[in-house]
Amino acid sequence: NGPYFSMKYIRGRTLSSLLAQRPLSPREAARILASVAHGIHYAHQHGILHRDLKPSNILVDEQGRPLVTDFGLAKRTGHGAMITQTGDVLGTPAYMAPEQAAGDRGQVGPASDVYSLGAILYHMLTGRPTFQAASPVDTLLMVLEQDPVPPRVLNPQADRDLEMITLRCLQKPADLRYQT
């Protein structure tokens, strides 16, 4: 028998199943994202990058609490260290940061997870991913080369402050995003 791990069973739904029904209210989106961001910040403080944050990796339990799951692509780093990738593109194209999409051309660090948090917030505000194309490769090219449509263009009821937070998280240069 080899090593194994177990997890607590969580009764609830994925954020992606909630988003399949409708965009979330600004208050609900902010509450969920704040909780997820606190959890990811905790992981970063302990040298762990998630690298695959997306709505299907966030479970919302019966009390409405979001829990981050699937650390399958997580990477351990030294405090404040960056990971230079070796050419593999790891993650989900619609939610990955440009430096992840670039493979060996970029460095992945906490700001990469911040980008993914922005992409999740974008989806919560608009009801759709930031970038979606016919193929994963085309989506990667959009992540690398295009700016997102502002959330309020797609959903005029989206909160202005949340839109600004979203767009800052989705900046192409990592140094223009929130660092934590």
Side-chain angles (χ1 to χ4, degrees), residues 43-87:
H44 290 170
Q45 288 179 313
H46 291 84
I48 298 170
L49 301 176
H50 190 283
R51 301 194 307 171
D52 195 24
L53 289 168
K54 58 187 175 184
S56 61
N57 285 343
I58 297 170
L59 294 177
V60 180
D61 72 11
E62 291 177 320
Q63 288 74 43
R65 293 179 303 222
L67 298 117
V68 179
T69 65
D70 195 355
F71 280 76
L73 293 182
K75 182 76 174 173
R76 187 141 180 82
T77 67
H79 261 340
M82 300 292 273
I83 299 170
T84 302
Q85 293 188 275
T86 59

Side-chain angles (χ1 to χ4, degrees), residues 94 127-135 138-139 142:
R128 67 173 204 130
T130 310
F131 299 108
Q132 49 190 358
S135 74
D138 290 338
T139 302
M142 291 175 81

